[in-house]
PDB file of all heavy atoms in Angstrom:
ATOM      1  N   GLY B   1     169.425  49.454 178.759  1.00  0.00           N
ATOM      2  CA  GLY B   1     168.087  49.378 178.203  1.00  0.00           C
ATOM      3  C   GLY B   1     168.175  48.488 176.982  1.00  0.00           C
ATOM      4  O   GLY B   1     169.025  48.708 176.116  1.00  0.00           O
ATOM      5  N   ILE B   2     167.331  47.463 176.925  1.00  0.00           N
ATOM      6  CA  ILE B   2     167.339  46.555 175.780  1.00  0.00           C
ATOM      7  C   ILE B   2     165.923  46.401 175.243  1.00  0.00           C
ATOM      8  O   ILE B   2     164.943  46.618 175.959  1.00  0.00           O
ATOM      9  CB  ILE B   2     167.935  45.173 176.139  1.00  0.00           C
ATOM     10  CG1 ILE B   2     167.169  44.507 177.284  1.00  0.00           C
ATOM     11  CG2 ILE B   2     169.415  45.306 176.468  1.00  0.00           C
ATOM     12  CD1 ILE B   2     167.604  43.070 177.571  1.00  0.00           C
ATOM     13  N   VAL B   3     165.854  46.031 173.973  1.00  0.00           N
ATOM     14  CA  VAL B   3     164.563  45.798 173.332  1.00  0.00           C
ATOM     15  C   VAL B   3     164.605  44.475 172.584  1.00  0.00           C
ATOM     16  O   VAL B   3     165.653  44.054 172.088  1.00  0.00           O
ATOM     17  CB  VAL B   3     164.183  46.939 172.358  1.00  0.00           C
ATOM     18  CG1 VAL B   3     163.914  48.236 173.103  1.00  0.00           C
ATOM     19  CG2 VAL B   3     165.235  47.142 171.287  1.00  0.00           C
ATOM     20  N   ALA B   4     163.456  43.835 172.522  1.00  0.00           N
ATOM     21  CA  ALA B   4     163.256  42.659 171.668  1.00  0.00           C
ATOM     22  C   ALA B   4     162.494  43.156 170.451  1.00  0.00           C
ATOM     23  O   ALA B   4     161.436  43.790 170.592  1.00  0.00           O
ATOM     24  CB  ALA B   4     162.465  41.584 172.401  1.00  0.00           C
ATOM     25  N   VAL B   5     163.043  42.903 169.270  1.00  0.00           N
ATOM     26  CA  VAL B   5     162.470  43.424 168.036  1.00  0.00           C
ATOM     27  C   VAL B   5     162.103  42.262 167.112  1.00  0.00           C
ATOM     28  O   VAL B   5     162.886  41.324 166.935  1.00  0.00           O
ATOM     29  CB  VAL B   5     163.474  44.362 167.322  1.00  0.00           C
ATOM     30  CG1 VAL B   5     162.899  44.893 166.027  1.00  0.00           C
ATOM     31  CG2 VAL B   5     163.870  45.503 168.246  1.00  0.00           C
ATOM     32  N   ALA B   6     160.908  42.334 166.541  1.00  0.00           N
ATOM     33  CA  ALA B   6     160.458  41.358 165.546  1.00  0.00           C
ATOM     34  C   ALA B   6     159.638  42.110 164.511  1.00  0.00           C
ATOM     35  O   ALA B   6     158.823  42.969 164.860  1.00  0.00           O
ATOM     36  CB  ALA B   6     159.622  40.265 166.187  1.00  0.00           C
ATOM     37  N   GLY B   7     159.883  41.817 163.258  1.00  0.00           N
ATOM     38  CA  GLY B   7     159.129  42.489 162.204  1.00  0.00           C
ATOM     39  C   GLY B   7     159.286  43.990 162.224  1.00  0.00           C
ATOM     40  O   GLY B   7     158.361  44.717 161.876  1.00  0.00           O
ATOM     41  N   GLY B   8     160.446  44.467 162.685  1.00  0.00           N
ATOM     42  CA  GLY B   8     160.703  45.903 162.739  1.00  0.00           C
ATOM     43  C   GLY B   8     160.009  46.634 163.875  1.00  0.00           C
ATOM     44  O   GLY B   8     160.064  47.865 163.944  1.00  0.00           O
ATOM     45  N   ARG B   9     159.362  45.900 164.783  1.00  0.00           N
ATOM     46  CA  ARG B   9     158.641  46.531 165.890  1.00  0.00           C
ATOM     47  C   ARG B   9     159.149  46.030 167.225  1.00  0.00           C
ATOM     48  O   ARG B   9     159.534  44.865 167.358  1.00  0.00           O
ATOM     49  CB  ARG B   9     157.149  46.226 165.772  1.00  0.00           C
ATOM     50  CG  ARG B   9     156.565  46.785 164.468  1.00  0.00           C
ATOM     51  CD  ARG B   9     155.092  46.586 164.364  1.00  0.00           C
ATOM     52  NE  ARG B   9     154.426  47.336 165.421  1.00  0.00           N
ATOM     53  CZ  ARG B   9     153.191  47.083 165.824  1.00  0.00           C
ATOM     54  NH1 ARG B   9     152.495  46.121 165.272  1.00  0.00           N
ATOM     55  NH2 ARG B   9     152.647  47.800 166.780  1.00  0.00           N
ATOM     56  N   ILE B  10     159.127  46.901 168.211  1.00  0.00           N
ATOM     57  CA  ILE B  10     159.522  46.522 169.566  1.00  0.00           C
ATOM     58  C   ILE B  10     158.415  45.659 170.164  1.00  0.00           C
ATOM     59  O   ILE B  10     157.255  46.058 170.216  1.00  0.00           O
ATOM     60  CB  ILE B  10     159.788  47.766 170.435  1.00  0.00           C
ATOM     61  CG1 ILE B  10     161.020  48.510 169.905  1.00  0.00           C
ATOM     62  CG2 ILE B  10     159.967  47.377 171.904  1.00  0.00           C
ATOM     63  CD1 ILE B  10     161.309  49.818 170.591  1.00  0.00           C
ATOM     64  N   ARG B  11     158.814  44.462 170.608  1.00  0.00           N
ATOM     65  CA  ARG B  11     157.861  43.503 171.181  1.00  0.00           C
ATOM     66  C   ARG B  11     158.011  43.376 172.692  1.00  0.00           C
ATOM     67  O   ARG B  11     157.172  42.795 173.358  1.00  0.00           O
ATOM     68  CB  ARG B  11     158.042  42.132 170.540  1.00  0.00           C
ATOM     69  CG  ARG B  11     157.986  42.118 169.043  1.00  0.00           C
ATOM     70  CD  ARG B  11     156.680  42.663 168.528  1.00  0.00           C
ATOM     71  NE  ARG B  11     156.682  42.673 167.057  1.00  0.00           N
ATOM     72  CZ  ARG B  11     155.600  42.580 166.324  1.00  0.00           C
ATOM     73  NH1 ARG B  11     154.416  42.508 166.894  1.00  0.00           N
ATOM     74  NH2 ARG B  11     155.689  42.610 165.020  1.00  0.00           N
ATOM     75  N   GLY B  12     159.109  43.924 173.213  1.00  0.00           N
ATOM     76  CA  GLY B  12     159.352  43.896 174.645  1.00  0.00           C
ATOM     77  C   GLY B  12     160.582  44.720 174.949  1.00  0.00           C
ATOM     78  O   GLY B  12     161.369  45.030 174.049  1.00  0.00           O
ATOM     79  N   PHE B  13     160.735  45.098 176.220  1.00  0.00           N
ATOM     80  CA  PHE B  13     161.910  45.873 176.604  1.00  0.00           C
ATOM     81  C   PHE B  13     162.189  45.678 178.086  1.00  0.00           C
ATOM     82  O   PHE B  13     161.342  45.204 178.846  1.00  0.00           O
ATOM     83  CB  PHE B  13     161.728  47.361 176.290  1.00  0.00           C
ATOM     84  CG  PHE B  13     160.918  48.117 177.305  1.00  0.00           C
ATOM     85  CD1 PHE B  13     161.543  48.867 178.286  1.00  0.00           C
ATOM     86  CD2 PHE B  13     159.534  48.075 177.286  1.00  0.00           C
ATOM     87  CE1 PHE B  13     160.805  49.563 179.230  1.00  0.00           C
ATOM     88  CE2 PHE B  13     158.789  48.763 178.218  1.00  0.00           C
ATOM     89  CZ  PHE B  13     159.425  49.510 179.203  1.00  0.00           C
ATOM     90  N   ALA B  14     163.397  46.046 178.467  1.00  0.00           N
ATOM     91  CA  ALA B  14     163.780  45.988 179.876  1.00  0.00           C
ATOM     92  C   ALA B  14     164.810  47.073 180.159  1.00  0.00           C
ATOM     93  O   ALA B  14     165.603  47.427 179.287  1.00  0.00           O
ATOM     94  CB  ALA B  14     164.355  44.617 180.222  1.00  0.00           C
ATOM     95  N   LEU B  15     164.779  47.573 181.387  1.00  0.00           N
ATOM     96  CA  LEU B  15     165.778  48.517 181.898  1.00  0.00           C
ATOM     97  C   LEU B  15     166.328  47.942 183.193  1.00  0.00           C
ATOM     98  O   LEU B  15     165.545  47.536 184.069  1.00  0.00           O
ATOM     99  CB  LEU B  15     165.162  49.880 182.203  1.00  0.00           C
ATOM    100  CG  LEU B  15     164.623  50.717 181.063  1.00  0.00           C
ATOM    101  CD1 LEU B  15     163.969  51.982 181.612  1.00  0.00           C
ATOM    102  CD2 LEU B  15     165.718  51.079 180.091  1.00  0.00           C
ATOM    103  N   MET B  16     167.661  47.921 183.314  1.00  0.00           N
ATOM    104  CA  MET B  16     168.275  47.431 184.545  1.00  0.00           C
ATOM    105  C   MET B  16     169.427  48.339 184.931  1.00  0.00           C
ATOM    106  O   MET B  16     170.265  48.687 184.103  1.00  0.00           O
ATOM    107  CB  MET B  16     168.765  45.991 184.403  1.00  0.00           C
ATOM    108  CG  MET B  16     169.213  45.417 185.741  1.00  0.00           C
ATOM    109  SD  MET B  16     169.135  43.616 185.845  1.00  0.00           S
ATOM    110  CE  MET B  16     170.619  43.168 184.979  1.00  0.00           C
ATOM    111  N   HIS B  17     169.449  48.694 186.211  1.00  0.00           N
ATOM    112  CA  HIS B  17     170.487  49.557 186.772  1.00  0.00           C
ATOM    113  C   HIS B  17     171.479  48.694 187.550  1.00  0.00           C
ATOM    114  O   HIS B  17     171.083  47.842 188.346  1.00  0.00           O
ATOM    115  CB  HIS B  17     169.860  50.600 187.701  1.00  0.00           C
ATOM    116  CG  HIS B  17     170.837  51.557 188.262  1.00  0.00           C
ATOM    117  ND1 HIS B  17     171.403  52.565 187.521  1.00  0.00           N
ATOM    118  CD2 HIS B  17     171.373  51.650 189.493  1.00  0.00           C
ATOM    119  CE1 HIS B  17     172.243  53.233 188.276  1.00  0.00           C
ATOM    120  NE2 HIS B  17     172.246  52.700 189.481  1.00  0.00           N
ATOM    121  N   TYR B  18     172.772  48.932 187.306  1.00  0.00           N
ATOM    122  CA  TYR B  18     173.833  48.131 187.914  1.00  0.00           C
ATOM    123  C   TYR B  18     174.530  48.907 189.020  1.00  0.00           C
ATOM    124  O   TYR B  18     174.897  50.060 188.838  1.00  0.00           O
ATOM    125  CB  TYR B  18     174.878  47.753 186.856  1.00  0.00           C
ATOM    126  CG  TYR B  18     174.297  46.894 185.764  1.00  0.00           C
ATOM    127  CD1 TYR B  18     173.606  47.461 184.698  1.00  0.00           C
ATOM    128  CD2 TYR B  18     174.431  45.516 185.796  1.00  0.00           C
ATOM    129  CE1 TYR B  18     173.049  46.676 183.704  1.00  0.00           C
ATOM    130  CE2 TYR B  18     173.890  44.719 184.808  1.00  0.00           C
ATOM    131  CZ  TYR B  18     173.194  45.306 183.768  1.00  0.00           C
ATOM    132  OH  TYR B  18     172.648  44.529 182.783  1.00  0.00           O
ATOM    133  N   LEU B  19     174.731  48.244 190.145  1.00  0.00           N
ATOM    134  CA  LEU B  19     175.542  48.751 191.241  1.00  0.00           C
ATOM    135  C   LEU B  19     176.780  47.864 191.318  1.00  0.00           C
ATOM    136  O   LEU B  19     177.002  47.033 190.450  1.00  0.00           O
ATOM    137  CB  LEU B  19     174.734  48.727 192.539  1.00  0.00           C
ATOM    138  CG  LEU B  19     173.419  49.516 192.484  1.00  0.00           C
ATOM    139  CD1 LEU B  19     172.547  49.191 193.677  1.00  0.00           C
ATOM    140  CD2 LEU B  19     173.704  51.007 192.416  1.00  0.00           C
ATOM    141  N   ASP B  20     177.582  48.010 192.349  1.00  0.00           N
ATOM    142  CA  ASP B  20     178.803  47.213 192.449  1.00  0.00           C
ATOM    143  C   ASP B  20     178.535  45.714 192.526  1.00  0.00           C
ATOM    144  O   ASP B  20     179.099  44.943 191.770  1.00  0.00           O
ATOM    145  CB  ASP B  20     179.639  47.648 193.654  1.00  0.00           C
ATOM    146  CG  ASP B  20     180.281  49.003 193.444  1.00  0.00           C
ATOM    147  OD1 ASP B  20     180.434  49.412 192.279  1.00  0.00           O
ATOM    148  OD2 ASP B  20     180.615  49.654 194.448  1.00  0.00           O
ATOM    149  N   ALA B  21     177.700  45.291 193.457  1.00  0.00           N
ATOM    150  CA  ALA B  21     177.504  43.868 193.692  1.00  0.00           C
ATOM    151  C   ALA B  21     176.103  43.384 193.329  1.00  0.00           C
ATOM    152  O   ALA B  21     175.837  42.195 193.367  1.00  0.00           O
ATOM    153  CB  ALA B  21     177.788  43.537 195.153  1.00  0.00           C
ATOM    154  N   GLU B  22     175.222  44.294 192.990  1.00  0.00           N
ATOM    155  CA  GLU B  22     173.864  43.888 192.635  1.00  0.00           C
ATOM    156  C   GLU B  22     173.317  44.787 191.547  1.00  0.00           C
ATOM    157  O   GLU B  22     173.871  45.835 191.239  1.00  0.00           O
ATOM    158  CB  GLU B  22     172.949  43.886 193.851  1.00  0.00           C
ATOM    159  CG  GLU B  22     172.659  45.245 194.437  1.00  0.00           C
ATOM    160  CD  GLU B  22     171.736  45.149 195.652  1.00  0.00           C
ATOM    161  OE1 GLU B  22     172.001  44.355 196.560  1.00  0.00           O
ATOM    162  OE2 GLU B  22     170.745  45.900 195.664  1.00  0.00           O
ATOM    163  N   ALA B  23     172.233  44.321 190.961  1.00  0.00           N
ATOM    164  CA  ALA B  23     171.548  45.090 189.926  1.00  0.00           C
ATOM    165  C   ALA B  23     170.070  45.144 190.283  1.00  0.00           C
ATOM    166  O   ALA B  23     169.550  44.289 191.004  1.00  0.00           O
ATOM    167  CB  ALA B  23     171.750  44.446 188.564  1.00  0.00           C
ATOM    168  N   HIS B  24     169.400  46.174 189.777  1.00  0.00           N
ATOM    169  CA  HIS B  24     167.975  46.372 190.036  1.00  0.00           C
ATOM    170  C   HIS B  24     167.251  46.399 188.690  1.00  0.00           C
ATOM    171  O   HIS B  24     167.503  47.294 187.880  1.00  0.00           O
ATOM    172  CB  HIS B  24     167.758  47.671 190.801  1.00  0.00           C
ATOM    173  CG  HIS B  24     166.352  47.887 191.226  1.00  0.00           C
ATOM    174  ND1 HIS B  24     165.868  49.123 191.549  1.00  0.00           N
ATOM    175  CD2 HIS B  24     165.314  47.041 191.395  1.00  0.00           C
ATOM    176  CE1 HIS B  24     164.589  49.024 191.882  1.00  0.00           C
ATOM    177  NE2 HIS B  24     164.246  47.764 191.796  1.00  0.00           N
ATOM    178  N   LEU B  25     166.400  45.423 188.460  1.00  0.00           N
ATOM    179  CA  LEU B  25     165.584  45.398 187.251  1.00  0.00           C
ATOM    180  C   LEU B  25     164.475  46.423 187.444  1.00  0.00           C
ATOM    181  O   LEU B  25     163.584  46.251 188.272  1.00  0.00           O
ATOM    182  CB  LEU B  25     165.018  43.997 187.007  1.00  0.00           C
ATOM    183  CG  LEU B  25     164.164  43.816 185.767  1.00  0.00           C
ATOM    184  CD1 LEU B  25     164.921  44.199 184.498  1.00  0.00           C
ATOM    185  CD2 LEU B  25     163.666  42.379 185.675  1.00  0.00           C
ATOM    186  N   LEU B  26     164.579  47.510 186.709  1.00  0.00           N
ATOM    187  CA  LEU B  26     163.654  48.628 186.874  1.00  0.00           C
ATOM    188  C   LEU B  26     162.326  48.389 186.169  1.00  0.00           C
ATOM    189  O   LEU B  26     161.262  48.655 186.725  1.00  0.00           O
ATOM    190  CB  LEU B  26     164.289  49.910 186.327  1.00  0.00           C
ATOM    191  CG  LEU B  26     165.618  50.327 186.953  1.00  0.00           C
ATOM    192  CD1 LEU B  26     166.252  51.457 186.151  1.00  0.00           C
ATOM    193  CD2 LEU B  26     165.410  50.722 188.398  1.00  0.00           C
ATOM    194  N   LEU B  27     162.396  47.933 184.918  1.00  0.00           N
ATOM    195  CA  LEU B  27     161.207  47.720 184.101  1.00  0.00           C
ATOM    196  C   LEU B  27     161.406  46.504 183.206  1.00  0.00           C
ATOM    197  O   LEU B  27     162.498  46.294 182.677  1.00  0.00           O
ATOM    198  CB  LEU B  27     160.936  48.924 183.192  1.00  0.00           C
ATOM    199  CG  LEU B  27     160.605  50.264 183.828  1.00  0.00           C
ATOM    200  CD1 LEU B  27     160.548  51.353 182.759  1.00  0.00           C
ATOM    201  CD2 LEU B  27     159.285  50.198 184.581  1.00  0.00           C
ATOM    202  N   LEU B  28     160.346  45.752 183.014  1.00  0.00           N
ATOM    203  CA  LEU B  28     160.315  44.661 182.036  1.00  0.00           C
ATOM    204  C   LEU B  28     158.892  44.578 181.525  1.00  0.00           C
ATOM    205  O   LEU B  28     157.953  44.464 182.319  1.00  0.00           O
ATOM    206  CB  LEU B  28     160.715  43.332 182.667  1.00  0.00           C
ATOM    207  CG  LEU B  28     160.544  42.109 181.758  1.00  0.00           C
ATOM    208  CD1 LEU B  28     161.603  42.106 180.661  1.00  0.00           C
ATOM    209  CD2 LEU B  28     160.609  40.821 182.550  1.00  0.00           C
ATOM    210  N   ALA B  29     158.741  44.656 180.218  1.00  0.00           N
ATOM    211  CA  ALA B  29     157.412  44.555 179.625  1.00  0.00           C
ATOM    212  C   ALA B  29     157.499  43.819 178.303  1.00  0.00           C
ATOM    213  O   ALA B  29     158.465  43.973 177.557  1.00  0.00           O
ATOM    214  CB  ALA B  29     156.810  45.941 179.395  1.00  0.00           C
ATOM    215  N   VAL B  30     156.485  43.023 178.029  1.00  0.00           N
ATOM    216  CA  VAL B  30     156.348  42.312 176.762  1.00  0.00           C
ATOM    217  C   VAL B  30     154.944  42.594 176.257  1.00  0.00           C
ATOM    218  O   VAL B  30     153.976  42.526 177.025  1.00  0.00           O
ATOM    219  CB  VAL B  30     156.569  40.791 176.947  1.00  0.00           C
ATOM    220  CG1 VAL B  30     156.320  40.042 175.652  1.00  0.00           C
ATOM    221  CG2 VAL B  30     157.976  40.516 177.475  1.00  0.00           C
ATOM    222  N   THR B  31     154.825  42.916 174.973  1.00  0.00           N
ATOM    223  CA  THR B  31     153.506  43.200 174.412  1.00  0.00           C
ATOM    224  C   THR B  31     152.619  41.961 174.551  1.00  0.00           C
ATOM    225  O   THR B  31     153.104  40.828 174.498  1.00  0.00           O
ATOM    226  CB  THR B  31     153.603  43.618 172.934  1.00  0.00           C
ATOM    227  OG1 THR B  31     154.239  42.578 172.200  1.00  0.00           O
ATOM    228  CG2 THR B  31     154.387  44.920 172.781  1.00  0.00           C
ATOM    229  N   PRO B  32     151.327  42.156 174.746  1.00  0.00           N
ATOM    230  CA  PRO B  32     150.430  41.012 174.968  1.00  0.00           C
ATOM    231  C   PRO B  32     150.519  39.937 173.884  1.00  0.00           C
ATOM    232  O   PRO B  32     150.491  38.743 174.200  1.00  0.00           O
ATOM    233  CB  PRO B  32     149.039  41.659 175.007  1.00  0.00           C
ATOM    234  CG  PRO B  32     149.298  43.043 175.528  1.00  0.00           C
ATOM    235  CD  PRO B  32     150.616  43.440 174.908  1.00  0.00           C
TER     236      PRO B  32
END
Protein backbone atom coordinates (compact mmCIF):
# COMPACT_ATOMS: atom_id res chain seq x y z
CA GLY A 1 0.00 0.00 0.00
CA ILE A 2 1.51 3.33 -1.02
CA VAL A 3 0.44 6.94 -0.76
CA ALA A 4 1.37 10.13 -2.58
CA VAL A 5 1.67 12.95 -0.05
CA ALA A 6 1.83 16.70 -0.66
CA GLY A 7 1.41 19.45 1.89
CA GLY A 8 0.98 16.84 4.61
CA ARG A 9 -2.11 15.36 2.93
CA ILE A 10 -2.68 12.16 1.00
CA ARG A 11 -3.27 13.06 -2.65
CA GLY A 12 -3.45 9.54 -4.02
CA PHE A 13 -2.93 5.91 -3.07
CA ALA A 14 -2.61 2.43 -4.49
CA LEU A 15 -2.82 -1.15 -3.23
CA MET A 16 -1.22 -4.03 -5.13
CA HIS A 17 -1.15 -7.72 -4.28
CA TYR A 18 1.83 -9.80 -5.43
CA LEU A 19 1.77 -13.44 -6.50
CA ASP A 20 4.71 -15.48 -7.80
CA ALA A 21 4.70 -14.36 -11.43
CA GLU A 22 2.08 -11.62 -11.50
CA ALA A 23 0.60 -8.85 -9.44
CA HIS A 24 -2.94 -7.51 -9.16
CA LEU A 25 -3.48 -3.77 -8.81
CA LEU A 26 -6.38 -3.74 -6.38
CA LEU A 27 -6.99 -0.01 -6.00
CA LEU A 28 -5.62 3.23 -7.44
CA ALA A 29 -7.10 6.62 -6.70
CA VAL A 30 -5.95 10.22 -7.07
CA THR A 31 -7.85 13.14 -5.56
CA PRO A 32 -9.59 15.25 -8.22
